[in-house]
PDB file of all heavy atoms in Angstrom:
ATOM      1  N   THR X1049      -9.048 -29.169 -24.028  1.00 97.00           N
ATOM      2  CA  THR X1049      -8.350 -29.692 -22.858  1.00 97.00           C
ATOM      3  C   THR X1049      -9.366 -29.805 -21.724  1.00 97.00           C
ATOM      4  O   THR X1049     -10.438 -29.193 -21.776  1.00 97.00           O
ATOM      5  CB  THR X1049      -7.179 -28.786 -22.426  1.00 97.00           C
ATOM      6  OG1 THR X1049      -7.685 -27.472 -22.153  1.00 97.00           O
ATOM      7  CG2 THR X1049      -6.104 -28.708 -23.503  1.00 97.00           C
ATOM      8  N   GLN X1050      -9.007 -30.573 -20.712  1.00 97.00           N
ATOM      9  CA  GLN X1050      -9.899 -30.725 -19.570  1.00 97.00           C
ATOM     10  C   GLN X1050      -9.101 -30.810 -18.277  1.00 97.00           C
ATOM     11  O   GLN X1050      -7.899 -31.058 -18.281  1.00 97.00           O
ATOM     12  CB  GLN X1050     -10.798 -31.935 -19.729  1.00 97.00           C
ATOM     13  CG  GLN X1050     -10.097 -33.259 -19.678  1.00 97.00           C
ATOM     14  CD  GLN X1050     -11.075 -34.417 -19.754  1.00 97.00           C
ATOM     15  OE1 GLN X1050     -12.243 -34.305 -19.410  1.00 97.00           O
ATOM     16  NE2 GLN X1050     -10.589 -35.564 -20.195  1.00 97.00           N
ATOM     17  N   PHE X1051      -9.815 -30.608 -17.176  1.00 96.00           N
ATOM     18  CA  PHE X1051      -9.237 -30.657 -15.841  1.00 96.00           C
ATOM     19  C   PHE X1051     -10.324 -31.162 -14.907  1.00 96.00           C
ATOM     20  O   PHE X1051     -11.499 -30.817 -15.073  1.00 96.00           O
ATOM     21  CB  PHE X1051      -8.785 -29.252 -15.415  1.00 96.00           C
ATOM     22  CG  PHE X1051      -8.268 -29.176 -14.009  1.00 96.00           C
ATOM     23  CD1 PHE X1051      -6.963 -29.534 -13.715  1.00 96.00           C
ATOM     24  CD2 PHE X1051      -9.079 -28.742 -12.978  1.00 96.00           C
ATOM     25  CE1 PHE X1051      -6.473 -29.472 -12.420  1.00 96.00           C
ATOM     26  CE2 PHE X1051      -8.602 -28.673 -11.675  1.00 96.00           C
ATOM     27  CZ  PHE X1051      -7.296 -29.037 -11.403  1.00 96.00           C
ATOM     28  N   VAL X1052      -9.968 -31.964 -13.929  1.00 98.00           N
ATOM     29  CA  VAL X1052     -10.926 -32.421 -12.932  1.00 98.00           C
ATOM     30  C   VAL X1052     -10.530 -31.828 -11.579  1.00 98.00           C
ATOM     31  O   VAL X1052      -9.419 -32.053 -11.096  1.00 98.00           O
ATOM     32  CB  VAL X1052     -10.984 -33.958 -12.850  1.00 98.00           C
ATOM     33  CG1 VAL X1052     -11.962 -34.397 -11.755  1.00 98.00           C
ATOM     34  CG2 VAL X1052     -11.398 -34.556 -14.190  1.00 98.00           C
ATOM     35  N   LEU X1053     -11.438 -31.060 -11.011  1.00 96.00           N
ATOM     36  CA  LEU X1053     -11.241 -30.442  -9.704  1.00 96.00           C
ATOM     37  C   LEU X1053     -11.740 -31.397  -8.630  1.00 96.00           C
ATOM     38  O   LEU X1053     -12.861 -31.904  -8.713  1.00 96.00           O
ATOM     39  CB  LEU X1053     -12.023 -29.125  -9.625  1.00 96.00           C
ATOM     40  CG  LEU X1053     -12.014 -28.410  -8.277  1.00 96.00           C
ATOM     41  CD1 LEU X1053     -10.615 -27.888  -7.960  1.00 96.00           C
ATOM     42  CD2 LEU X1053     -13.026 -27.280  -8.267  1.00 96.00           C
ATOM     43  N   TYR X1054     -10.902 -31.655  -7.629  1.00 95.00           N
ATOM     44  CA  TYR X1054     -11.276 -32.463  -6.476  1.00 95.00           C
ATOM     45  C   TYR X1054     -11.457 -31.541  -5.286  1.00 95.00           C
ATOM     46  O   TYR X1054     -10.577 -30.727  -5.001  1.00 95.00           O
ATOM     47  CB  TYR X1054     -10.188 -33.496  -6.152  1.00 95.00           C
ATOM     48  CG  TYR X1054     -10.160 -34.655  -7.105  1.00 95.00           C
ATOM     49  CD1 TYR X1054      -9.614 -34.527  -8.371  1.00 95.00           C
ATOM     50  CD2 TYR X1054     -10.705 -35.884  -6.740  1.00 95.00           C
ATOM     51  CE1 TYR X1054      -9.589 -35.592  -9.263  1.00 95.00           C
ATOM     52  CE2 TYR X1054     -10.687 -36.964  -7.615  1.00 95.00           C
ATOM     53  CZ  TYR X1054     -10.133 -36.807  -8.872  1.00 95.00           C
ATOM     54  OH  TYR X1054     -10.114 -37.854  -9.746  1.00 95.00           O
ATOM     55  N   GLU X1055     -12.598 -31.666  -4.590  1.00 93.00           N
ATOM     56  CA  GLU X1055     -12.881 -30.841  -3.415  1.00 93.00           C
ATOM     57  C   GLU X1055     -13.264 -31.748  -2.243  1.00 93.00           C
ATOM     58  O   GLU X1055     -13.936 -32.759  -2.433  1.00 93.00           O
ATOM     59  CB  GLU X1055     -14.050 -29.903  -3.675  1.00 93.00           C
ATOM     60  CG  GLU X1055     -13.841 -28.903  -4.782  1.00 93.00           C
ATOM     61  CD  GLU X1055     -15.095 -28.113  -5.033  1.00 93.00           C
ATOM     62  OE1 GLU X1055     -15.974 -28.612  -5.760  1.00 93.00           O
ATOM     63  OE2 GLU X1055     -15.208 -27.003  -4.481  1.00 93.00           O
ATOM     64  N   ASP X1056     -12.834 -31.334  -1.054  1.00 92.00           N
ATOM     65  CA  ASP X1056     -13.286 -31.998   0.165  1.00 92.00           C
ATOM     66  C   ASP X1056     -13.506 -30.919   1.225  1.00 92.00           C
ATOM     67  O   ASP X1056     -13.464 -29.733   0.918  1.00 92.00           O
ATOM     68  CB  ASP X1056     -12.321 -33.095   0.616  1.00 92.00           C
ATOM     69  CG  ASP X1056     -10.937 -32.575   0.970  1.00 92.00           C
ATOM     70  OD1 ASP X1056     -10.784 -31.354   1.221  1.00 92.00           O
ATOM     71  OD2 ASP X1056      -9.995 -33.373   1.007  1.00 92.00           O
ATOM     72  N   ASP X1057     -13.721 -31.333   2.475  1.00 88.00           N
ATOM     73  CA  ASP X1057     -14.035 -30.338   3.507  1.00 88.00           C
ATOM     74  C   ASP X1057     -12.839 -29.477   3.895  1.00 88.00           C
ATOM     75  O   ASP X1057     -12.982 -28.471   4.565  1.00 88.00           O
ATOM     76  CB  ASP X1057     -14.665 -30.995   4.735  1.00 88.00           C
ATOM     77  CG  ASP X1057     -13.750 -31.983   5.442  1.00 88.00           C
ATOM     78  OD1 ASP X1057     -12.507 -31.893   5.288  1.00 88.00           O
ATOM     79  OD2 ASP X1057     -14.269 -32.860   6.155  1.00 88.00           O
ATOM     80  N   GLY X1058     -11.633 -29.863   3.485  1.00 83.00           N
ATOM     81  CA  GLY X1058     -10.456 -29.040   3.724  1.00 83.00           C
ATOM     82  C   GLY X1058      -9.801 -29.208   5.074  1.00 83.00           C
ATOM     83  O   GLY X1058      -8.792 -28.560   5.342  1.00 83.00           O
ATOM     84  N   TRP X1059     -10.346 -30.060   5.929  1.00 84.00           N
ATOM     85  CA  TRP X1059      -9.735 -30.170   7.247  1.00 84.00           C
ATOM     86  C   TRP X1059      -9.707 -31.586   7.812  1.00 84.00           C
ATOM     87  O   TRP X1059      -8.880 -31.901   8.650  1.00 84.00           O
ATOM     88  CB  TRP X1059     -10.425 -29.236   8.244  1.00 84.00           C
ATOM     89  CG  TRP X1059     -11.903 -29.448   8.347  1.00 84.00           C
ATOM     90  CD1 TRP X1059     -12.872 -28.849   7.607  1.00 84.00           C
ATOM     91  CD2 TRP X1059     -12.584 -30.351   9.219  1.00 84.00           C
ATOM     92  NE1 TRP X1059     -14.109 -29.322   7.954  1.00 84.00           N
ATOM     93  CE2 TRP X1059     -13.967 -30.242   8.958  1.00 84.00           C
ATOM     94  CE3 TRP X1059     -12.176 -31.236  10.194  1.00 84.00           C
ATOM     95  CZ2 TRP X1059     -14.931 -30.993   9.626  1.00 84.00           C
ATOM     96  CZ3 TRP X1059     -13.133 -31.987  10.865  1.00 84.00           C
ATOM     97  CH2 TRP X1059     -14.498 -31.846  10.574  1.00 84.00           C
ATOM     98  N   SER X1060     -10.597 -32.472   7.380  1.00 92.00           N
ATOM     99  CA  SER X1060     -10.625 -33.827   7.961  1.00 92.00           C
ATOM    100  C   SER X1060     -10.029 -34.842   6.981  1.00 92.00           C
ATOM    101  O   SER X1060      -9.602 -34.498   5.888  1.00 92.00           O
ATOM    102  CB  SER X1060     -12.060 -34.219   8.306  1.00 92.00           C
ATOM    103  OG  SER X1060     -12.769 -34.573   7.126  1.00 92.00           O
ATOM    104  N   LYS X1061     -10.057 -36.107   7.402  1.00 94.00           N
ATOM    105  CA  LYS X1061      -9.613 -37.200   6.533  1.00 94.00           C
ATOM    106  C   LYS X1061     -10.803 -37.932   5.919  1.00 94.00           C
ATOM    107  O   LYS X1061     -10.685 -39.057   5.447  1.00 94.00           O
ATOM    108  CB  LYS X1061      -8.744 -38.172   7.323  1.00 94.00           C
ATOM    109  CG  LYS X1061      -7.419 -37.570   7.732  1.00 94.00           C
ATOM    110  CD  LYS X1061      -6.543 -38.592   8.403  1.00 94.00           C
ATOM    111  CE  LYS X1061      -5.211 -37.952   8.790  1.00 94.00           C
ATOM    112  NZ  LYS X1061      -4.330 -38.933   9.442  1.00 94.00           N
ATOM    113  N   ALA X1062     -11.966 -37.288   5.897  1.00 94.00           N
ATOM    114  CA  ALA X1062     -13.173 -37.911   5.344  1.00 94.00           C
ATOM    115  C   ALA X1062     -13.014 -38.250   3.865  1.00 94.00           C
ATOM    116  O   ALA X1062     -13.704 -39.138   3.356  1.00 94.00           O
ATOM    117  CB  ALA X1062     -14.383 -37.001   5.552  1.00 94.00           C
ATOM    118  N   TYR X1063     -12.098 -37.589   3.184  1.00 93.00           N
ATOM    119  CA  TYR X1063     -11.854 -37.902   1.772  1.00 93.00           C
ATOM    120  C   TYR X1063     -11.408 -39.349   1.595  1.00 93.00           C
ATOM    121  O   TYR X1063     -11.639 -39.965   0.551  1.00 93.00           O
ATOM    122  CB  TYR X1063     -10.820 -36.946   1.165  1.00 93.00           C
ATOM    123  CG  TYR X1063      -9.428 -37.087   1.742  1.00 93.00           C
ATOM    124  CD1 TYR X1063      -8.510 -37.951   1.177  1.00 93.00           C
ATOM    125  CD2 TYR X1063      -9.045 -36.346   2.861  1.00 93.00           C
ATOM    126  CE1 TYR X1063      -7.237 -38.086   1.709  1.00 93.00           C
ATOM    127  CE2 TYR X1063      -7.788 -36.481   3.401  1.00 93.00           C
ATOM    128  CZ  TYR X1063      -6.881 -37.353   2.824  1.00 93.00           C
ATOM    129  OH  TYR X1063      -5.633 -37.499   3.357  1.00 93.00           O
ATOM    130  N   LEU X1064     -10.791 -39.923   2.638  1.00 95.00           N
ATOM    131  CA  LEU X1064     -10.356 -41.319   2.568  1.00 95.00           C
ATOM    132  C   LEU X1064     -11.544 -42.279   2.490  1.00 95.00           C
ATOM    133  O   LEU X1064     -11.407 -43.414   2.036  1.00 95.00           O
ATOM    134  CB  LEU X1064      -9.487 -41.671   3.776  1.00 95.00           C
ATOM    135  CG  LEU X1064      -8.148 -40.935   3.868  1.00 95.00           C
ATOM    136  CD1 LEU X1064      -7.478 -41.194   5.206  1.00 95.00           C
ATOM    137  CD2 LEU X1064      -7.246 -41.341   2.710  1.00 95.00           C
ATOM    138  N   ASN X1065     -12.709 -41.808   2.929  1.00 94.00           N
ATOM    139  CA  ASN X1065     -13.944 -42.604   2.883  1.00 94.00           C
ATOM    140  C   ASN X1065     -14.854 -42.161   1.744  1.00 94.00           C
ATOM    141  O   ASN X1065     -16.048 -42.435   1.765  1.00 94.00           O
ATOM    142  CB  ASN X1065     -14.685 -42.505   4.223  1.00 94.00           C
ATOM    143  CG  ASN X1065     -13.868 -43.074   5.360  1.00 94.00           C
ATOM    144  OD1 ASN X1065     -13.224 -44.109   5.203  1.00 94.00           O
ATOM    145  ND2 ASN X1065     -13.869 -42.395   6.494  1.00 94.00           N
ATOM    146  N   GLY X1066     -14.298 -41.444   0.781  1.00 95.00           N
ATOM    147  CA  GLY X1066     -15.068 -41.078  -0.412  1.00 95.00           C
ATOM    148  C   GLY X1066     -15.843 -39.781  -0.317  1.00 95.00           C
ATOM    149  O   GLY X1066     -16.622 -39.474  -1.217  1.00 95.00           O
ATOM    150  N   GLN X1067     -15.653 -39.019   0.757  1.00 96.00           N
ATOM    151  CA  GLN X1067     -16.367 -37.754   0.869  1.00 96.00           C
ATOM    152  C   GLN X1067     -15.621 -36.684   0.076  1.00 96.00           C
ATOM    153  O   GLN X1067     -14.869 -35.876   0.628  1.00 96.00           O
ATOM    154  CB  GLN X1067     -16.544 -37.368   2.334  1.00 96.00           C
ATOM    155  CG  GLN X1067     -17.512 -38.291   3.046  1.00 96.00           C
ATOM    156  CD  GLN X1067     -17.937 -37.747   4.367  1.00 96.00           C
ATOM    157  OE1 GLN X1067     -17.957 -36.545   4.598  1.00 96.00           O
ATOM    158  NE2 GLN X1067     -18.315 -38.641   5.266  1.00 96.00           N
ATOM    159  N   VAL X1068     -15.842 -36.732  -1.228  1.00 97.00           N
ATOM    160  CA  VAL X1068     -15.152 -35.866  -2.188  1.00 97.00           C
ATOM    161  C   VAL X1068     -16.142 -35.484  -3.276  1.00 97.00           C
ATOM    162  O   VAL X1068     -17.020 -36.273  -3.635  1.00 97.00           O
ATOM    163  CB  VAL X1068     -13.957 -36.614  -2.831  1.00 97.00           C
ATOM    164  CG1 VAL X1068     -13.295 -35.782  -3.904  1.00 97.00           C
ATOM    165  CG2 VAL X1068     -12.949 -37.024  -1.782  1.00 97.00           C
ATOM    166  N   ARG X1069     -15.990 -34.300  -3.808  1.00 97.00           N
ATOM    167  CA  ARG X1069     -16.737 -33.889  -5.008  1.00 97.00           C
ATOM    168  C   ARG X1069     -15.730 -33.680  -6.117  1.00 97.00           C
ATOM    169  O   ARG X1069     -14.698 -33.037  -5.915  1.00 97.00           O
ATOM    170  CB  ARG X1069     -17.517 -32.604  -4.778  1.00 97.00           C
ATOM    171  CG  ARG X1069     -18.191 -32.122  -6.082  1.00 97.00           C
ATOM    172  CD  ARG X1069     -18.976 -30.858  -5.915  1.00 97.00           C
ATOM    173  NE  ARG X1069     -20.176 -31.161  -5.156  1.00 97.00           N
ATOM    174  CZ  ARG X1069     -20.816 -30.269  -4.405  1.00 97.00           C
ATOM    175  NH1 ARG X1069     -20.365 -29.040  -4.290  1.00 97.00           N
ATOM    176  NH2 ARG X1069     -21.910 -30.612  -3.753  1.00 97.00           N
ATOM    177  N   THR X1070     -16.029 -34.227  -7.284  1.00 97.00           N
ATOM    178  CA  THR X1070     -15.210 -33.966  -8.464  1.00 97.00           C
ATOM    179  C   THR X1070     -16.034 -33.172  -9.458  1.00 97.00           C
ATOM    180  O   THR X1070     -17.235 -33.412  -9.617  1.00 97.00           O
ATOM    181  CB  THR X1070     -14.713 -35.265  -9.126  1.00 97.00           C
ATOM    182  OG1 THR X1070     -15.834 -36.058  -9.511  1.00 97.00           O
ATOM    183  CG2 THR X1070     -13.811 -36.054  -8.185  1.00 97.00           C
ATOM    184  N   THR X1071     -15.376 -32.219 -10.107  1.00 98.00           N
ATOM    185  CA  THR X1071     -16.033 -31.400 -11.123  1.00 98.00           C
ATOM    186  C   THR X1071     -15.113 -31.321 -12.332  1.00 98.00           C
ATOM    187  O   THR X1071     -13.995 -30.819 -12.227  1.00 98.00           O
ATOM    188  CB  THR X1071     -16.314 -29.979 -10.587  1.00 98.00           C
ATOM    189  OG1 THR X1071     -17.065 -30.078  -9.369  1.00 98.00           O
ATOM    190  CG2 THR X1071     -17.094 -29.159 -11.608  1.00 98.00           C
ATOM    191  N   ARG X1072     -15.593 -31.842 -13.458  1.00 98.00           N
ATOM    192  CA  ARG X1072     -14.812 -31.801 -14.703  1.00 98.00           C
ATOM    193  C   ARG X1072     -15.069 -30.474 -15.403  1.00 98.00           C
ATOM    194  O   ARG X1072     -16.202 -29.995 -15.470  1.00 98.00           O
ATOM    195  CB  ARG X1072     -15.198 -32.962 -15.613  1.00 98.00           C
ATOM    196  CG  ARG X1072     -14.363 -33.056 -16.871  1.00 98.00           C
ATOM    197  CD  ARG X1072     -14.588 -34.368 -17.598  1.00 98.00           C
ATOM    198  NE  ARG X1072     -15.976 -34.645 -17.866  1.00 98.00           N
ATOM    199  CZ  ARG X1072     -16.563 -34.453 -19.050  1.00 98.00           C
ATOM    200  NH1 ARG X1072     -15.880 -34.004 -20.068  1.00 98.00           N
ATOM    201  NH2 ARG X1072     -17.835 -34.741 -19.199  1.00 98.00           N
ATOM    202  N   MET X1073     -13.994 -29.889 -15.925  1.00 98.00           N
ATOM    203  CA  MET X1073     -14.064 -28.643 -16.681  1.00 98.00           C
ATOM    204  C   MET X1073     -13.334 -28.839 -18.004  1.00 98.00           C
ATOM    205  O   MET X1073     -12.301 -29.515 -18.035  1.00 98.00           O
ATOM    206  CB  MET X1073     -13.417 -27.505 -15.903  1.00 98.00           C
ATOM    207  CG  MET X1073     -14.130 -27.177 -14.616  1.00 98.00           C
ATOM    208  SD  MET X1073     -13.256 -25.922 -13.672  1.00 98.00           S
ATOM    209  CE  MET X1073     -12.594 -26.946 -12.379  1.00 98.00           C
ATOM    210  N   GLU X1074     -13.863 -28.258 -19.064  1.00 98.00           N
ATOM    211  CA  GLU X1074     -13.233 -28.340 -20.379  1.00 98.00           C
ATOM    212  C   GLU X1074     -13.171 -26.961 -21.004  1.00 98.00           C
ATOM    213  O   GLU X1074     -13.986 -26.094 -20.701  1.00 98.00           O
ATOM    214  CB  GLU X1074     -14.039 -29.253 -21.313  1.00 98.00           C
ATOM    215  CG  GLU X1074     -14.062 -30.691 -20.918  1.00 98.00           C
ATOM    216  CD  GLU X1074     -14.876 -31.544 -21.882  1.00 98.00           C
ATOM    217  OE1 GLU X1074     -15.542 -30.990 -22.789  1.00 98.00           O
ATOM    218  OE2 GLU X1074     -14.839 -32.778 -21.728  1.00 98.00           O
ATOM    219  N   GLN X1075     -12.211 -26.784 -21.906  1.00 97.00           N
ATOM    220  CA  GLN X1075     -12.113 -25.561 -22.693  1.00 97.00           C
ATOM    221  C   GLN X1075     -11.787 -25.938 -24.123  1.00 97.00           C
ATOM    222  O   GLN X1075     -11.159 -26.971 -24.372  1.00 97.00           O
ATOM    223  CB  GLN X1075     -11.062 -24.608 -22.138  1.00 97.00           C
ATOM    224  CG  GLN X1075      -9.615 -24.970 -22.417  1.00 97.00           C
ATOM    225  CD  GLN X1075      -9.156 -24.690 -23.832  1.00 97.00           C
ATOM    226  OE1 GLN X1075      -9.505 -23.681 -24.438  1.00 97.00           O
ATOM    227  NE2 GLN X1075      -8.390 -25.607 -24.390  1.00 97.00           N
ATOM    228  N   ALA X1076     -12.229 -25.098 -25.055  1.00 96.00           N
ATOM    229  CA  ALA X1076     -11.872 -25.257 -26.469  1.00 96.00           C
ATOM    230  C   ALA X1076     -12.136 -23.933 -27.175  1.00 96.00           C
ATOM    231  O   ALA X1076     -13.154 -23.280 -26.940  1.00 96.00           O
ATOM    232  CB  ALA X1076     -12.675 -26.367 -27.125  1.00 96.00           C
ATOM    233  N   LEU X1077     -11.212 -23.546 -28.011  1.00 93.00           N
ATOM    234  CA  LEU X1077     -11.371 -22.355 -28.840  1.00 93.00           C
ATOM    235  C   LEU X1077     -11.774 -22.852 -30.220  1.00 93.00           C
ATOM    236  O   LEU X1077     -11.016 -23.550 -30.888  1.00 93.00           O
ATOM    237  CB  LEU X1077     -10.062 -21.567 -28.896  1.00 93.00           C
ATOM    238  CG  LEU X1077     -10.059 -20.282 -29.708  1.00 93.00           C
ATOM    239  CD1 LEU X1077     -11.096 -19.300 -29.184  1.00 93.00           C
ATOM    240  CD2 LEU X1077      -8.671 -19.646 -29.667  1.00 93.00           C
ATOM    241  N   GLU X1078     -13.007 -22.546 -30.609  1.00 92.00           N
ATOM    242  CA  GLU X1078     -13.567 -23.008 -31.881  1.00 92.00           C
ATOM    243  C   GLU X1078     -13.863 -21.792 -32.744  1.00 92.00           C
ATOM    244  O   GLU X1078     -14.908 -21.156 -32.598  1.00 92.00           O
ATOM    245  CB  GLU X1078     -14.831 -23.822 -31.632  1.00 92.00           C
ATOM    246  CG  GLU X1078     -14.608 -25.020 -30.732  1.00 92.00           C
ATOM    247  CD  GLU X1078     -15.893 -25.627 -30.189  1.00 92.00           C
ATOM    248  OE1 GLU X1078     -16.972 -24.992 -30.321  1.00 92.00           O
ATOM    249  OE2 GLU X1078     -15.819 -26.716 -29.610  1.00 92.00           O
ATOM    250  N   GLY X1079     -12.927 -21.436 -33.622  1.00 91.00           N
ATOM    251  CA  GLY X1079     -13.109 -20.252 -34.460  1.00 91.00           C
ATOM    252  C   GLY X1079     -13.152 -19.000 -33.616  1.00 91.00           C
ATOM    253  O   GLY X1079     -12.199 -18.676 -32.912  1.00 91.00           O
ATOM    254  N   ASP X1080     -14.280 -18.303 -33.643  1.00 93.00           N
ATOM    255  CA  ASP X1080     -14.445 -17.056 -32.899  1.00 93.00           C
ATOM    256  C   ASP X1080     -15.098 -17.246 -31.534  1.00 93.00           C
ATOM    257  O   ASP X1080     -15.472 -16.260 -30.887  1.00 93.00           O
ATOM    258  CB  ASP X1080     -15.281 -16.067 -33.722  1.00 93.00           C
ATOM    259  CG  ASP X1080     -14.559 -15.579 -34.962  1.00 93.00           C
ATOM    260  OD1 ASP X1080     -13.314 -15.629 -34.984  1.00 93.00           O
ATOM    261  OD2 ASP X1080     -15.230 -15.140 -35.916  1.00 93.00           O
ATOM    262  N   ILE X1081     -15.268 -18.486 -31.105  1.00 96.00           N
ATOM    263  CA  ILE X1081     -15.933 -18.737 -29.825  1.00 96.00           C
ATOM    264  C   ILE X1081     -15.020 -19.568 -28.925  1.00 96.00           C
ATOM    265  O   ILE X1081     -14.579 -20.652 -29.301  1.00 96.00           O
ATOM    266  CB  ILE X1081     -17.277 -19.473 -30.013  1.00 96.00           C
ATOM    267  CG1 ILE X1081     -18.199 -18.674 -30.946  1.00 96.00           C
ATOM    268  CG2 ILE X1081     -17.945 -19.715 -28.662  1.00 96.00           C
ATOM    269  CD1 ILE X1081     -19.469 -19.398 -31.315  1.00 96.00           C
ATOM    270  N   ALA X1082     -14.740 -19.020 -27.738  1.00 96.00           N
ATOM    271  CA  ALA X1082     -14.022 -19.765 -26.710  1.00 96.00           C
ATOM    272  C   ALA X1082     -15.070 -20.368 -25.788  1.00 96.00           C
ATOM    273  O   ALA X1082     -15.924 -19.646 -25.267  1.00 96.00           O
ATOM    274  CB  ALA X1082     -13.079 -18.858 -25.932  1.00 96.00           C
ATOM    275  N   ARG X1083     -15.028 -21.670 -25.623  1.00 97.00           N
ATOM    276  CA  ARG X1083     -16.019 -22.354 -24.795  1.00 97.00           C
ATOM    277  C   ARG X1083     -15.354 -22.910 -23.535  1.00 97.00           C
ATOM    278  O   ARG X1083     -14.292 -23.524 -23.611  1.00 97.00           O
ATOM    279  CB  ARG X1083     -16.671 -23.485 -25.572  1.00 97.00           C
ATOM    280  CG  ARG X1083     -17.402 -22.998 -26.808  1.00 97.00           C
ATOM    281  CD  ARG X1083     -18.199 -24.123 -27.465  1.00 97.00           C
ATOM    282  NE  ARG X1083     -18.672 -23.746 -28.775  1.00 97.00           N
ATOM    283  CZ  ARG X1083     -19.710 -22.981 -29.026  1.00 97.00           C
ATOM    284  NH1 ARG X1083     -20.404 -22.488 -28.018  1.00 97.00           N
ATOM    285  NH2 ARG X1083     -20.076 -22.691 -30.254  1.00 97.00           N
ATOM    286  N   VAL X1084     -16.002 -22.678 -22.416  1.00 98.00           N
ATOM    287  CA  VAL X1084     -15.569 -23.240 -21.145  1.00 98.00           C
ATOM    288  C   VAL X1084     -16.796 -23.908 -20.534  1.00 98.00           C
ATOM    289  O   VAL X1084     -17.819 -23.260 -20.337  1.00 98.00           O
ATOM    290  CB  VAL X1084     -15.025 -22.161 -20.187  1.00 98.00           C
ATOM    291  CG1 VAL X1084     -14.640 -22.773 -18.850  1.00 98.00           C
ATOM    292  CG2 VAL X1084     -13.850 -21.422 -20.817  1.00 98.00           C
TER     293      VAL X1084
END
């Protein structure tokens, strides 16, 4: 499975002009190893 985290400065509307960071995260349980 995966999830994309969106971050901005938390207080302005600068995100409307593209001031955003995205970070993709994935997880998978493969046998005896959980990968994140």
Side-chain angles (χ1 to χ4, degrees):
T1049 58
Q1050 68 176 335
F1051 176 82
V1052 178
L1053 175 68
Y1054 285 77
E1055 298 175 277
D1056 62 19
D1057 63 22
W1059 56 271
S1060 76
K1061 292 185 179 180
Y1063 66 91
L1064 295 171
N1065 297 319
Q1067 291 193 27
V1068 175
R1069 175 180 288 153
T1070 59
T1071 305
R1072 185 169 53 101
M1073 296 175 254
E1074 294 180 353
Q1075 76 76 39
L1077 181 59
E1078 302 165 348
D1080 292 337
I1081 303 173
R1083 299 188 192 281
V1084 177

